[in-house]
Amino acid sequence: MTDSKYFTTTKKGEIFELKAELNSDKKEKKKEAVKKVIASMTVGKDVSALFPDVVNCMQTDNLELKKLVYLYLMNYAKSQPDMAIMAVNTFVKDCEDPNPLIRALAVRTMGCIRVDKITEYLCEPLRKCLKDEDPYVRKTAAVCVAKLHDINAQLVEDQGFLDTLKDLISDSNPMVVANAVAALSEIAESHPSSDLLDLNPQSINKLLTALNECTEWGQIFILDCLANYTPKDDREAQSICERVTPRLSHANSAVVLSAVKVLMKFMEMLSKDLDYYGTLLKKLAPPLVTLLSAEPELQYVALRNINLIVQKRPEILKHEMKVFFVKYNDPIYVKLEKLDIMIRLASQANIAQVLAELKEYATEVDVDFVRKAVRAIGRCAIKVEQSAERCVSTLLDLIQTKVNYVVQEAIVVIKDIFRKYPNKYESVIATLCENLDSLDEPEARAAMIWIVGEYAERIDNADELLESFLEGFHDESTQVQLQLLTAIVKLFLKKPTETQELVQQVLSLATQDSDNPDLRDRGYIYWRLLSTDPVAAKEVVLAEKPLISEETDLIEPTLLDELICYIGTLASVYHKPPSAFVEGGRGVVHKSLPPRTASSESTESPETAPAGAPPGEQPDVVPTQGDLLGDLLNLDLGPPVSGPPLAASSVQMGAVDLLGGGLDSLMGDEPEGIGGTNFAAPPTAAAPANLSAPMGSGLSDLFDLTSGVGSLSGSYVAPKAVWLPAMKAKGLEISGTFTRQVGAISMDLQLTNKALQVMTDFAIQFNRNSFGLAPAAPLQVHAPLSPNQTVEISLPLNTVGSVMKMEPLNNLQVAVKNNIDVFYFSTLYPLHILFVEDGKMDRQMFLATWKDIPNENEAQFQIRDCPLNAEAVSSKLQNSNVFTIAKRNVEAQDMLYQSLRLTNGIWVLAELRIQPGNPNFTLSLKCRAPEVSQHVCQAYETILKN
């Protein structure tokens, strides 16, 4: 007979009868009664009145009965805490039972009873079970620690359970290891600051050994834990990848995705030149393809994860295009996701195949899918230039079908194609205009109006077409109204005589009859522009537009890196970080990919050393928005300083503002026009550092070169070095060097646009630095920087910015903004650009100062391989404002006594010993700020050896 009999209601006085049966002497009757109690509890009846009677049944050897009683206890202990204490003795006894199943059952139930009064009684039994000889008991106890930590964290820490849990990671049984890792990960997530999972190469090795013998869920716990580890170098990363790779062939898709997550993360540290890197890419493709043969729901999760992987490393699946072709019986959500990935993988090699497939999809019956397919054809045209011609003719064929929604989507994407390839496919405009009457969707109407306005000079009846839209102006959506207003103003600027009435009509509708503030504002701007300065209006409204790129739908790189760390979790399906959908933010830690190691970096992007840096040193590139707030809280991005420092409160901007338009103020008062060009007379360029302003130490005669002090020829200038490679700045490459000419310091920059879009709106700002270096004028890039164009700029600097001691002393952190993003890098400036022109000290003063500076402040350096005589040395150094005060010959050695002064008023005194015929010199430096000496010596070497 089945267990359904327990759910049939008994006769009168149900509780009373159950009580009698529970106290029966017969074991079978007792067991039946407990089953009835559990059945009543399951259907929601309150049987808490039977608590003492059920607890009495705990004293039994029957495992099945014990399980049922424990189940009842877990349910009612919270509502009957005083009664639950009665069960404690039995738990303690069961934890010492000879049967390991009973010991494990007792410890599992203890963890599930969330009653504070009982918790302290459970510590001793739990401690014993954590050290039990049976692995089944130990693995159950490990999970119990996590549950207990959730109830009373302090108790767990005081009792030392966390240390015991850490010891279990070295357990001989793989399941115990997996559960210990799972428990520690759970605890660590709720306490992100605690360093519980102290992973090191030894513990990682133990986890990898356990990985092969675990159950599938144990493997997932271990793989997720490995993903949180950062290897110390690329060799360790490769070794871990080699041992994780076999998991890719596991039958459980969760294990496969967890393994993919670990490999994607550690591949960041591998050099692309390694043979192993190529092998790993090949091994990653088959398991991802296999996931697509599962049921639709699993396919969807796999596709959402593949979408992220393809954006990070498209080369993994570049030869697997066919598996993403849509099947007729795929659900719509799978179809749309496959379509998205097809576009991401489209390239010149497979575009013909992709287009044939997309054209097929555009004749399907599913409206949403057809719309997405038509958009996809447009995205292919924008992504693969060679295919644009074929895409446009495919779109025209689709327009000829006269299917309303197909026509509308086609017009929307053709507008984007016009923006990507101006003056190339305008012959199709006539065909588009034929379909004007059938457009009823706001986006399609707005796109068509944009096309008519943009190419008004090529369309004879442009005014009639726009007038037809104007008739129902107030019934249109805001998007269409705004587009119509701009299009008619464009038309007026191109054909002013014929369209005066039309433009007045639309301006009046937009400003006087409209309630929409956006529309009103735009109407007033146009009105004032047209009435005050038609030439400026033309420059603004008809400005050349920046080309669009296909990357508009890509996930922002920092977010993508974070989501790669969450492959196989809900975050990878939503494409949002956990903090966006986990309420309360408890346990949400921001993750990021590991930094590239030195060996892998050097093979990928050899960067030349910055000006004045020793050849071995590379410029530190501040991570682009990696830990953005962390980097920026110190970055004092106010307007450029010229003249005396401004009050701090008036210039400091919050770090977050930076990402929006916070840096716009750096561009002075230049008004910004629509389309990114500037109109109105540009403001006069800010003069270089206010020459009469007191500099650093209040020198009044700094530039008074007539006194014979200093040199007009200018100090040594290092060749330009790459400071910001294009791959780290979305296509913008910045090279530069520092110069000092006639007392003025400048940063000579070379900006190269290696992206596919025009760059505009440049601005620059420095972080606080050791010598207060700051831009003395805005960064003036007078024309938009087109793709593959290079521009040279000299940016005047002064030394009245905010001061903060940097490490190393001559480190300069720079933020550069353009219309694409804000980029950060750091470089080392040579100290000799700070040597001022009046650094020659009087002889008596020199002697007195040398004696006055304590001997411990003296530093001695060797300058090697410098075959110059004393005269040449003195002359070379004089050009860079290092002045020889006196020269003596002692024991066939030339002794030069020299002085120099830094912009912040620090004097440095030097004794240079030169032995004729010996290319090695000895330099002794004395200074009240000895940390400067090392950098002054570097400056000496740089000047003398170049």
Side-chain angles (χ1 to χ4, degrees):
M1 192 174 171
T2 65
D3 285 347
S4 59
K5 62 177 183 181
Y6 301 116
F7 290 89
T8 54
T9 50
T10 51
K11 300 168 289 301
K12 59 179 173 57
E14 194 175 10
I15 296 285
F16 180 77
E17 284 189 12
L18 284 172
K19 202 178 184 80
E21 285 176 28
L22 285 168
N23 292 316
S24 163
D25 297 334
K26 292 180 182 165
K27 282 188 179 176
E28 272 310 305
K29 211 165 186 185
K30 232 182 205 178
K31 191 166 151 189
E32 293 294 304
V34 173
K35 283 188 177 180
K36 284 180 190 170
V37 171
I38 297 294
S40 300
M41 182 178 90
T42 308
V43 295
K45 287 183 185 167
D46 181 13
V47 282
S48 57
L50 297 168
F51 200 93
D53 306 286
V54 177
V55 169
N56 285 339
C57 300
M58 276 176 82
Q59 313 288 349
T60 174
D61 300 330
N62 185 318
L63 189 59
E64 189 186 2
L65 181 55
K66 209 176 252 309
K67 279 184 179 175
L68 291 168
V69 174
Y70 279 172
L71 195 61
Y72 177 88
L73 254 174
M74 281 191 262
N75 200 36
Y76 283 116
K78 196 145 194 159
S79 57
Q80 307 261 358
D82 297 332
M83 290 281 199
I85 291 180
M86 290 160 50
V88 166
N89 284 337
T90 316
F91 280 135
V92 174
K93 222 164 87 186
D94 281 355
C95 284
E96 291 173 4
D97 194 276
N99 183 344
L101 290 175
I102 289 181
R103 297 202 296 276
L105 182 63
V107 81
R108 178 184 292 129
T109 311
M110 283 181 346
C112 294
I113 295 179
R114 304 178 64 86
V115 175
D116 287 337
K117 285 184 183 174
I118 294 183
T119 312
E120 53 207 65
Y121 294 109
L122 308 185
C123 295
E124 220 34 63
L126 181 57
R127 187 175 282 107
K128 283 180 186 163
C129 289
L130 281 166
K131 294 195 162 64
D132 198 282
E133 75 233 10
D134 193 285
Y136 182 74
V137 180
R138 292 200 300 276
K139 86 176 182 69
T140 311
V143 177
C144 186
V145 173
K147 290 178 178 173
L148 194 58
H149 189 273
D150 196 39
I151 302 166
N152 189 339
Q154 196 55 49
L155 181 73
V156 171
E157 284 162 30
D158 296 346
Q159 292 286 340
F161 287 146
L162 294 180
D163 296 326
T164 318
L165 210 48
K166 286 180 191 172
D167 295 342
L168 288 183
I169 288 184
S170 312
D171 199 276
S172 55
N173 185 292
M175 268 321 298
V176 177
V177 175
N179 278 19
V181 166
L184 282 169
S185 304
E186 180 81 21
I187 294 168
E189 269 186 18
S190 58
H191 291 70
S193 53
S194 63
D195 189 21
L196 285 176
L197 274 164
D198 181 20
L199 298 173
N200 52 43
Q202 290 73 35
S203 58
I204 289 294
N205 193 30
K206 286 170 188 162
L207 293 182
L208 287 165
T209 309
L211 188 61
N212 299 323
E213 299 160 39
C214 279
T215 64
E216 48 198 25
W217 293 111
Q219 291 181 27
I220 293 167
F221 289 136
I222 291 177
L223 287 167
D224 287 349
C225 178
L226 286 173
N228 293 329
Y229 174 63
T230 305
K232 62 178 187 296
D233 55 25
D234 50 347
R235 285 178 60 186
E236 190 186 357
Q238 182 176 337
S239 142
I240 294 172
C241 288
E242 282 167 355
R243 294 176 71 179
V244 167
T245 311
R247 298 299 112 215
L248 292 173
S249 51
H250 201 284
N252 185 322
S253 52
V255 176
V256 174
L257 281 177
S258 290
V260 168
K261 169 169 61 183
V262 175
L263 296 173
M264 283 293 290
K265 205 168 169 189
F266 290 175
M267 274 171 85
E268 252 337 85
M269 299 183 70
L270 301 179
S271 161
K272 290 187 176 178
D273 299 345
L274 280 176
D275 292 343
Y276 180 69
Y277 182 86
T279 315
L280 197 52
L281 286 180
K282 287 189 191 122
K283 283 184 179 170
L284 274 168
L288 293 172
V289 170
T290 308
L291 291 175
L292 298 182
S293 53
E295 50 268 36
E297 293 78 8
L298 275 178
Q299 272 190 59
Y300 178 71
V301 172
L303 286 165
R304 292 294 279 173
N305 281 281
I306 288 170
N307 199 325
L308 295 174
I309 293 164
V310 165
Q311 287 184 56
K312 185 71 186 165
R313 299 197 184 281
E315 61 271 29
I316 293 176
L317 289 161
K318 66 179 176 189
H319 301 305
E320 305 290 345
M321 177 63 88
K322 278 192 174 159
V323 298
F324 298 107
F325 285 175
V326 171
K327 299 192 182 101
Y328 76 96
N329 59 348
D330 279 339
I332 182 68
Y333 54 87
V334 171
K335 283 181 176 177
L336 296 177
E337 206 55 42
K338 280 185 173 177
L339 205 51
D340 206 29
I341 295 169
M342 277 170 67
I343 307 304
R344 298 201 192 288
L345 290 174
S347 64
Q348 208 175 329
N350 57 25
I351 195 74
Q353 211 180 5
V354 173
L355 274 179
E357 196 69 18
L358 291 175
K359 195 170 179 183
E360 195 72 30
Y361 299 161
T363 58
E364 288 266 343
V365 288
D366 192 318
V367 177
D368 284 342
F369 181 52
V370 172
R371 284 175 180 279
K372 185 107 178 191
V374 176
R375 293 230 167 177
I377 295 171
R379 277 172 64 189
C380 282
I382 290 166
K383 185 173 183 185
V384 185
E385 191 166 345
Q386 294 76 1
S387 75
E389 191 89 40
R390 291 172 66 174
C391 291
V392 171
S393 64
T394 305
L395 289 168
L396 287 176
D397 291 347
L398 291 172
I399 288 176
Q400 298 306 339
T401 61
K402 300 289 179 193
V403 178
N404 190 288
Y405 54 86
V406 175
V407 172
Q408 309 211 57
E409 286 297 333
I411 285 174
V412 171
V413 294
I414 286 175
K415 176 205 67 173
D416 288 339
I417 293 173
F418 283 169
R419 285 200 59 193
K420 175 73 175 175
Y421 310 110
N423 306 320
K424 209 166 176 187
Y425 300 109
E426 280 70 26
S427 53
V428 307
I429 292 176
T431 316
L432 302 183
C433 291
E434 288 166 17
N435 294 282
L436 226 145
D437 299 334
S438 63
L439 306 180
D440 52 17
E441 290 170 17
E443 200 177 356
R445 288 171 79 81
M448 192 65 226
I449 291 167
W450 182 87
I451 292 170
V452 173
E454 191 66 18
Y455 300 103
E457 69 278 15
R458 304 183 190 198
I459 304 170
D460 299 333
N461 61 338
D463 50 345
E464 288 170 26
L465 296 176
L466 292 176
E467 202 167 353
S468 67
F469 282 105
L470 206 54
E471 287 160 12
F473 186 79
H474 289 303
D475 302 328
E476 300 284 6
S477 71
T478 308
Q479 182 184 7
V480 177
Q481 290 176 334
L482 287 165
Q483 206 54 265
L484 192 52
L485 171 60
T486 303
I488 290 176
V489 172
K490 282 180 187 171
L491 175 65
F492 171 69
L493 290 167
K494 290 173 181 178
K495 303 179 178 177
T497 48
E498 305 151 40
T499 53
Q500 204 156 352
E501 225 171 278
L502 191 61
V503 82
Q504 282 177 337
Q505 192 183 345
V506 77
L507 287 173
S508 149
L509 282 169
T511 53
Q512 288 159 24
D513 306 346
S514 169
D515 297 333
N516 185 316
D518 290 341
L519 187 62
R520 266 207 318 270
D521 286 355
R522 191 183 288 192
Y524 279 126
I525 288 171
Y526 285 153
W527 199 317
R528 283 174 191 152
L529 263 176
L530 293 169
S531 57
T532 53
D533 190 349
V535 178
K538 204 163 190 171
E539 281 179 22
V540 173
V541 183
L542 302 181
E544 197 177 322
K545 312 222 170 3
L547 300 181
I548 59 169
S549 74
E550 94 283 358
E551 290 168 358
T552 46
D553 61 330
L554 290 181
I555 293 176
E556 191 270 319
T558 325
L559 175 58
L560 180 62
D561 286 354
E562 186 175 353
L563 292 176
I564 291 289
C565 302
Y566 286 109
I567 283 176
T569 67
L570 207 50
S572 68
V573 179
Y574 285 161
H575 286 188
K576 289 177 180 174
S579 52
F581 58 85
V582 175
E583 277 190 18
R586 174 181 171 270
V588 173
V589 189
H590 282 288
K591 297 184 182 181
S592 59
L593 293 177
R596 290 201 173 280
T597 54
S599 54
S600 69
E601 187 61 75
S602 60
T603 55
E604 236 174 290
S605 58
E607 292 167 16
T608 38
E617 286 185 28
Q618 299 285 323
D620 286 339
V621 175
V622 180
T624 31
Q625 297 189 356
D627 173 13
L628 198 63
L629 290 178
D631 293 336
L632 292 188
L633 288 177
N634 297 330
L635 216 56
D636 210 7
L637 282 158
V641 185
S642 65
L646 298 157
S649 61
S650 66
V651 300
Q652 287 186 355
M653 290 186 189
V656 185
D657 184 31
L658 234 185
L659 296 182
L663 277 172
D664 291 343
S665 60
L666 302 179
M667 301 303 290
D669 299 318
E670 247 173 281
E672 194 181 74
I674 292 157
T677 27
N678 297 318
F679 60 95
T684 50
N690 187 348
L691 301 189
S692 61
M695 302 273 282
S697 58
L699 302 173
S700 52
D701 58 344
L702 185 60
F703 299 104
D704 182 11
L705 301 176
T706 52
S707 61
V709 183
S711 143
L712 280 163
S713 61
S715 59
Y716 164 71
V717 179
K720 287 195 177 79
V722 177
W723 286 342
L724 183 65
M727 62 179 285
K728 291 186 179 170
K730 300 184 181 174
L732 173 64
E733 183 177 278
I734 300 180
S735 307
T737 186
F738 294 90
T739 63
R740 184 182 185 96
Q741 300 283 341
V742 201
I745 307 171
S746 57
M747 182 193 248
D748 291 351
L749 296 168
Q750 179 177 302
L751 309 181
T752 305
N753 180 357
K754 295 190 175 179
L756 295 173
Q757 64 192 97
V758 175
M759 294 182 180
T760 56
D761 305 342
F762 283 91
I764 193 166
Q765 193 55 55
F766 297 174
N767 190 2
R768 291 179 291 179
N769 53 77
S770 309
F771 293 92
L773 276 177
L779 184 61
Q780 299 280 359
V781 182
H782 291 295
L785 192 59
S786 305
N788 298 319
Q789 190 187 346
T790 298
V791 63
E792 306 255 352
I793 297 150
S794 184
L795 178 72
L797 307 181
N798 60 30
T799 51
V800 294
S802 304
V803 175
M804 178 174 80
K805 188 175 176 186
M806 299 297 283
E807 190 55 52
L809 207 61
N810 57 338
N811 188 15
L812 180 66
Q813 293 180 340
V814 183
V816 171
K817 170 188 178 264
N818 63 12
N819 58 325
I820 297 171
D821 208 342
V822 181
F823 307 106
Y824 305 92
F825 65 90
S826 63
T827 183
L828 304 176
Y829 49 88
L831 214 64
H832 66 261
I833 63 164
L834 304 173
F835 297 175
V836 299
E837 281 66 17
D838 68 342
K840 188 165 187 174
M841 202 179 250
D842 175 72
R843 282 188 183 207
Q844 302 312 116
M845 185 75 171
F846 183 92
L847 275 171
T849 311
W850 186 276
K851 288 175 184 168
D852 194 36
I853 296 173
N855 285 338
E856 56 266 28
N857 281 22
E858 184 173 349
Q860 204 167 68
F861 304 95
Q862 289 293 316
I863 297 177
R864 302 188 183 282
D865 306 321
C866 188
L868 297 173
N869 62 20
E871 298 303 324
V873 166
S874 183
S875 156
K876 248 188 170 187
L877 290 169
Q878 174 112 358
N879 285 341
S880 291
N881 299 336
V882 179
F883 302 97
T884 303
I885 313 291
K887 179 184 168 192
R888 288 195 309 164
N889 190 291
V890 181
E891 297 171 0
Q893 281 187 334
D894 287 326
M895 313 280 275
L896 298 181
Y897 295 95
Q898 298 173 320
S899 72
L900 63 97
R901 184 176 178 176
L902 298 173
T903 49
N904 58 359
I906 292 175
W907 285 95
V908 181
L909 310 186
E911 177 192 76
L912 190 60
R913 286 187 215 174
I914 301 170
Q915 194 162 15
N918 183 354
N920 300 337
F921 306 162
T922 303
L923 174 68
S924 300
L925 295 175
K926 259 192 168 187
C927 174
R928 294 196 193 279
E931 58 267 36
V932 170
S933 301
Q934 173 71 45
H935 300 283
V936 171
C937 171
Q938 277 177 17
Y940 262 78
E941 287 210 38
T942 305
I943 296 164
L944 293 175
K945 290 184 180 180
N946 291 288

